[in-house]
Amino acid sequence: PDGAAAGAARERHRRLIKPPGSLGALEELGARLAAMAGECPPPVPEHPAVVVAAGDHGVLARGVSPWPQEVTAAMVAGFCSGGAAVNAIAEAVGARVSVLDVGVASPLQPHPRLRSAKVRPGTRDISREAAMSREEAARAVISGAGIAGELVESGADLLVTGDMGIGNTTPAAALVAAFTGRPAREVTGRGTGIDDDTFRLKVRVIEQALELHGPETADALGVAAALGGLEHAALAGVILEGAARRVPVILDGIAANAAALVARYLAPECAGYMVAGHLSAEPGAGAALKHLGLEPLLDLGMRLGEGTGGLLAAPLVRAAAAVLARMDTFESAGIAEG
Amino acid sequence: PDGAAAGAARERHRRLIKPPGSLGALEELGARLAAMAGECPPPVPEHPAVVVAAGDHGVLARGVSPWPQEVTAAMVAGFCSGGAAVNAIAEAVGARVSVLDVGVASPLQPHPRLRSAKVRPGTRDISREAAMSREEAARAVISGAGIAGELVESGADLLVTGDMGIGNTTPAAALVAAFTGRPAREVTGRGTGIDDDTFRLKVRVIEQALELHGPETADALGVAAALGGLEHAALAGVILEGAARRVPVILDGIAANAAALVARYLAPECAGYMVAGHLSAEPGAGAALKHLGLEPLLDLGMRLGEGTGGLLAAPLVRAAAAVLARMDTFESAGIAEG
């Protein structure tokens, strides 16, 4: 990110026809967008695109979720046919939906909206062995980067991370614990909805995984391979590629936040291109965002994933850029300042 | 609002292909939209329109704002030419902008976007006499209702309240104090930015006005006439007409919240059609919303007015309706529930 462009945006905000600071968080968001683009005013994003990365999880065998693994594939089919929450919300905010299979266990029907880049049919159980090899993690990262790059080439100017994977809040919480250093019980949530017994089991499973692998944040790819999911690795790639192309990347919930930590520890500067779309109801989300130094734009108690919360922030990002790009200054409007 | 339609929406949310409750506040918003429309799924709003009601304030003579009165007219010109924050944000969320002059003191150039319905050229000083007569207040309410009705007739399916009026946070805080019963110092804010001395003066002025008029909430029109601004009365009319036509009305900040209290005490049922777009940084805003039983969707520290914060919530309202209207159910998608 370009500090001079951010400074120019802050200075421009003082000259726009409104009291200084009166647009609240939108003003600093605008400055960050200017920094990302390296120019002030920043371009106004007109073509948001969400990448929903999908994968399955060996740790599901431990009973961390009430949903069967087959639901991952069924939901991917839903994203393709257009009947899922991500589709409804994407349409509402004018975004396009792409689905990336990096690790769904069940076979999937081909579909124009679905990119097949299956690295392996689901991860291994992180509480007993590494989720995947380092090479597999790298391949998932590259797949995410690849689809992000193609979306930008074809006109996307705002990326949103989405995820699908039954059981994936378990590896997400493990990644958050590993990168933030917080205990598992503080960053583990109830995912799609589990009872007290399952919650205690989930915390224990994550503690076992952390103990088994002894993650070192200096080796972020190793952490992702040991504890993560294929979709988390892929979303880290989406973030890295967005940053490399100077396109803002809106993070959705806990899966995206965990992926953002992986990306941040692989290449610290990429954090400058992240926008925290919302604060997921999952406790690990807040911990991850705090560690990343990001303030969420929305706090609606959402915990679905798929990119739904991130998409809802897309109009806010567009508005933050638009006020810098389209408003008059006191001078141009001939208004005396108060 | 139609409780059966809200119940149908809540029931439908349990059958959509996602864990129950996972869309957080969007789910209850969807149920409220169903209740407003009287059907489930509710229509998906596609044509939001913001009404920016403008007026001047006799109380400005007391020195409650650093901005000169002429800025109201200059900003109205800005709304017309399209260079203000409301224009940039309206474009970003796909909304149309209409401006309603119910009480600007300075002469205004005609413009296709500007409706002239000047009741009087600014109010009187509320700390010394009634802001306007009851008849004038009623005329402002009717003007607001009139423009809202015309917008709905011409296709608007989601209304947003906006305001402009140098000094108008003083009457807004007075209205909030009168309707909520809270002391002036708790509901008074710094508006567009005032120093400590001006803030103390502003509180004193509001206390004088409350003491002078002894407002009775049973006579809401009388309270609006004694303490309010012409734009607050007009926005009460926008809200009442939106409710009468079963169109959701998104409230912006403190001016809208004060107007919503007037509308609510004129016709209690209209509160069912209000959506709190955001929590303004002005302290009276939270007090008013709490009194109205409304939870704000956004909390971005904004305090500009013009409808800017309300507009940012329009995509959330659209999304809340879209998930009910467009998502598959577990049954239709052939997915087993977890």
Side-chain angles (χ1 to χ4, degrees):
Chain A
D2 176 342
R10 290 187 195 102
E11 201 276 319
R12 184 169 171 77
H13 254 299
R14 283 191 288 273
R15 293 185 292 121
L16 298 175
I17 51 168
K18 57 171 184 55
S22 60
L23 285 176
L26 229 50
E27 299 196 10
E28 188 52 26
L29 177 56
R32 292 192 67 222
L33 296 172
M36 293 178 204
E39 61 185 358
C40 175
V44 181
E46 301 289 353
H47 303 291
V50 60
V51 176
V52 189
D56 278 308
H57 301 275
V59 73
L60 189 66
R62 297 290 307 273
V64 290
S65 169
W67 300 76
Q69 183 171 275
E70 293 66 38
V71 170
T72 302
M75 287 305 303
V76 166
F79 304 151
C80 291
S81 65
V86 66
N87 305 98
I89 295 179
E91 191 186 331
V93 303
R96 144 163 87 123
V97 179
S98 299
V99 188
L100 175 67
D101 170 22
V102 273
V104 179
S106 325
L108 297 171
Q109 293 294 319
H111 188 279
R113 196 177 268 164
L114 173 64
R115 164 74 55 93
S116 275
K118 207 187 294 283
V119 174
R120 47 177 294 143
T123 55
R124 290 184 291 246
D125 176 358
I126 61 170
S127 70
R128 295 192 168 131
E129 53 192 323
M132 61 194 110
S133 69
R134 295 173 66 90
E135 195 214 334
E136 286 168 336
R139 279 171 59 203
V141 171
I142 290 166
S143 292
I147 195 167
E150 282 172 43
L151 285 168
V152 173
E153 300 272 329
S154 69
D157 48 16
L158 180 59
L159 295 170
V160 182
T161 63
D163 68 284
M164 181 67 220
I166 294 299
N168 78 4
T169 60
T170 296
L175 290 171
V176 173
F179 285 108
T180 65
R182 302 225 202 174
R185 67 177 180 284
E186 273 183 28
V187 297
T188 302
R190 284 163 192 266
T192 49
I194 54 177
D195 60 23
D196 289 351
D197 282 348
T198 311
F199 178 73
R200 279 188 289 268
L201 168 70
K202 189 174 172 179
V203 172
R204 210 155 55 231
V205 163
I206 293 168
E207 286 169 347
Q208 284 168 1
L210 292 166
E211 208 168 300
L212 173 67
H213 302 292
E216 294 288 346
T217 58
D219 174 21
L221 191 69
V223 177
L227 296 171
L230 289 146
E231 68 270 45
H232 304 107
L235 292 180
V238 169
I239 294 165
L240 291 167
E241 185 70 17
R245 291 174 181 265
R246 314 197 73 153
V247 168
V249 183
I250 304 180
L251 308 178
D252 185 36
I254 181 69
N257 303 150
L261 287 167
V262 174
R264 155 69 182 74
Y265 278 85
L266 286 170
E269 207 183 356
C270 76
Y273 297 86
M274 299 173 187
V275 175
H278 78 129
L279 181 65
S280 160
E282 284 284 298
L289 293 178
K290 197 165 174 194
H291 197 76
L292 290 161
L294 299 173
E295 276 287 334
L297 291 169
L298 297 166
D299 182 3
L300 296 167
M302 293 172 68
R303 53 182 171 79
L304 175 56
E306 299 183 8
T308 51
L311 282 167
L312 289 174
L316 303 180
V317 172
R318 194 183 298 150
V323 296
L324 281 167
R326 295 182 184 153
M327 277 181 70
D328 287 335
T329 61
F330 284 106
E331 196 182 27
S332 70
I335 301 177
E337 289 185 62
Chain B
D2 176 342
R10 289 188 195 101
E11 201 275 318
R12 182 168 172 79
H13 255 299
R14 283 191 286 274
R15 292 186 293 120
L16 298 176
I17 52 169
K18 58 173 183 58
S22 60
L23 286 176
L26 228 51
E27 299 195 9
E28 188 53 25
L29 177 57
R32 292 193 66 224
L33 295 172
M36 295 178 204
E39 60 184 0
C40 176
V44 180
E46 301 289 355
H47 303 290
V50 60
V51 177
V52 188
D56 278 308
H57 302 274
V59 73
L60 188 65
R62 296 290 308 272
V64 291
S65 169
W67 299 76
Q69 183 171 274
E70 293 67 39
V71 171
T72 303
M75 288 304 305
V76 166
F79 305 151
C80 290
S81 65
V86 65
N87 305 96
I89 295 179
E91 191 187 330
V93 304
R96 144 163 86 125
V97 178
S98 299
V99 188
L100 176 67
D101 170 20
V102 273
V104 178
S106 324
L108 296 171
Q109 293 295 318
H111 189 279
R113 198 178 267 163
L114 174 64
R115 164 73 56 93
S116 276
K118 207 187 295 283
V119 174
R120 48 177 294 143
T123 55
R124 291 184 291 247
D125 176 359
I126 60 169
S127 69
R128 296 191 167 131
E129 52 193 323
M132 62 194 109
S133 70
R134 295 174 65 89
E135 193 213 335
E136 287 167 336
R139 280 171 56 205
V141 171
I142 289 165
S143 292
I147 194 168
E150 283 173 42
L151 285 168
V152 173
E153 300 272 332
S154 68
D157 47 15
L158 179 60
L159 295 170
V160 181
T161 63
D163 68 286
M164 180 67 221
I166 294 298
N168 78 2
T169 60
T170 296
L175 291 172
V176 173
F179 285 108
T180 65
R182 301 226 201 175
R185 66 178 180 285
E186 273 182 27
V187 298
T188 302
R190 283 162 193 265
T192 50
I194 54 176
D195 60 23
D196 289 351
D197 283 349
T198 311
F199 178 73
R200 279 188 290 268
L201 168 70
K202 187 172 173 180
V203 172
R204 210 154 56 232
V205 163
I206 293 168
E207 285 168 347
Q208 284 168 3
L210 292 166
E211 209 167 299
L212 174 66
H213 301 293
E216 295 287 345
T217 57
D219 174 21
L221 191 69
V223 176
L227 296 171
L230 289 146
E231 67 271 44
H232 304 107
L235 293 180
V238 170
I239 294 164
L240 292 167
E241 185 69 17
R245 291 173 181 264
R246 314 197 73 153
V247 168
V249 183
I250 303 180
L251 308 179
D252 185 35
I254 181 68
N257 303 149
L261 287 167
V262 174
R264 155 69 183 74
Y265 279 84
L266 286 170
E269 206 184 356
C270 76
Y273 297 85
M274 299 172 187
V275 175
H278 79 128
L279 180 65
S280 161
E282 284 285 297
L289 293 178
K290 198 166 174 194
H291 198 75
L292 291 161
L294 299 173
E295 276 288 334
L297 291 170
L298 296 166
D299 181 3
L300 295 167
M302 293 172 69
R303 52 181 172 79
L304 176 55
E306 299 183 10
T308 51
L311 282 167
L312 289 174
L316 302 180
V317 173
R318 193 183 299 151
V323 297
L324 281 167
R326 296 183 182 152
M327 277 181 70
D328 287 334
T329 61
F330 284 106
E331 195 181 30
S332 70
I335 301 178
E337 289 186 59

